[in-house]
Amino acid sequence: MAPFPDKLPDFLSEPELWPQGAGRCLLFAQYDIARYRDSDYAVAGLALPDFLSRAVPKRRAEFLAGRALAGQALARLGATGAVGRDSHGAPVWPRGIQGSISHSHGMVGVWLGQGAATLGLDLEALADPRAVRAICHSVLTPGDRVHLGATPDAAGATAVFSAKEALYKALFPRVGRFFGFDHAEIAEIRPDGLALRLTKPLSTGWPAGCVFEIAQHWRAGTVISQCEIAS
């Protein structure tokens, strides 16, 4: 584990704070891969992880952007400790903290909270036609199509994909196993997001039919999805 970054590297913009209430911190920043250098890890007070030794610069930049921004969010919550990484590649947060990191097309977000509630954050740029076809083929269920129609538009397809990603990130710490996009489908489309319903049981505590609220906001062609699951 590494200490909090005490300085942001130049390829990462100053963080933007979105109000979330007591015990919560949601930060966003932009990053420019063309300006990234491996030396930026040292600037941020972090070591380049061994598992990234053969990764392309884009992957190294994204990882550092997320960890550097996470350090800023933890400091704002007054947290102590370090951000680790589990065997699945997910962040391991300091005691008493839950959170989520997401990247999309030069934008990084970190959502952290104090307490036991698990948080899922996902950023997705508006899908291009090829991505829409892929989402329709591998993400949408027949139940989703009841709400979106036979030929979903880019915004609808992107929103559902992002909502399911946010749900997965919030539920994974609870169920401790991978599950597919077909485990959840739209229960309702709302002005401020979606409600997703489990189509299959994930455990005795999470049977089919459980409904989860996914808050969503669009910003500059990117949908921001948030799912919070109370303890």
Side-chain angles (χ1 to χ4, degrees):
M1 290 187 176
F4 297 154
D6 55 9
K7 181 180 178 182
L8 290 173
D10 290 340
F11 81 101
L12 189 66
S13 72
E14 285 297 317
E16 178 184 355
L17 176 67
W18 280 25
Q20 293 289 292
R24 294 288 184 273
C25 182
L26 178 60
L27 290 180
F28 295 100
Q30 303 293 323
Y31 59 94
D32 183 354
I33 293 174
R35 298 178 61 193
Y36 164 79
R37 301 293 183 271
D38 285 347
S39 57
D40 287 326
Y41 276 85
V43 171
L46 298 171
L48 179 65
D50 290 341
F51 76 90
L52 289 177
S53 62
R54 297 185 179 181
V56 297
K58 177 178 182 294
R59 175 71 181 106
R60 296 182 182 193
E62 289 176 344
F63 185 84
L64 178 56
R67 287 306 194 272
L69 193 63
Q72 296 288 311
L74 286 165
R76 288 172 183 262
L77 290 178
T80 59
V83 184
R85 182 175 180 271
D86 69 14
S87 60
H88 302 290
V92 177
W93 302 103
R95 180 184 293 272
I97 298 291
Q98 298 287 345
S100 187
I101 301 173
S102 187
H103 312 80
S104 181
H105 291 69
M107 183 179 182
V108 57
V110 174
W111 187 27
L112 299 186
Q114 295 171 322
T118 52
L119 308 177
L121 174 70
D122 187 70
L123 312 179
E124 296 293 338
L126 183 67
D128 61 23
R130 181 177 180 180
V132 170
R133 290 193 295 271
I135 291 170
C136 290
H137 176 71
S138 61
V139 175
L140 301 184
T141 67
D144 293 326
R145 291 178 182 276
V146 169
H147 293 272
L148 297 179
T151 56
D153 62 17
T158 305
V160 176
F161 175 68
S162 182
K164 291 189 180 187
E165 286 284 330
L167 176 63
Y168 177 85
K169 290 182 177 182
L171 269 178
F172 182 80
R174 303 286 187 183
V175 302
R177 68 179 180 89
F178 294 110
F179 56 92
F181 292 114
D182 60 341
H183 276 74
E185 65 184 13
I186 299 171
E188 185 179 354
I189 297 177
R190 298 174 179 169
D192 58 351
L194 301 173
L196 294 180
R197 179 192 303 112
L198 292 184
T199 60
K200 305 175 184 181
L202 290 174
S203 68
T204 55
W206 304 104
C210 285
V211 175
F212 303 90
E213 302 293 331
I214 316 294
Q216 294 187 310
H217 309 272
W218 283 92
R219 177 178 178 179
T222 296
V223 64
I224 301 165
S225 300
Q226 295 174 259
C227 178
E228 178 173 341
I229 300 179
S231 57

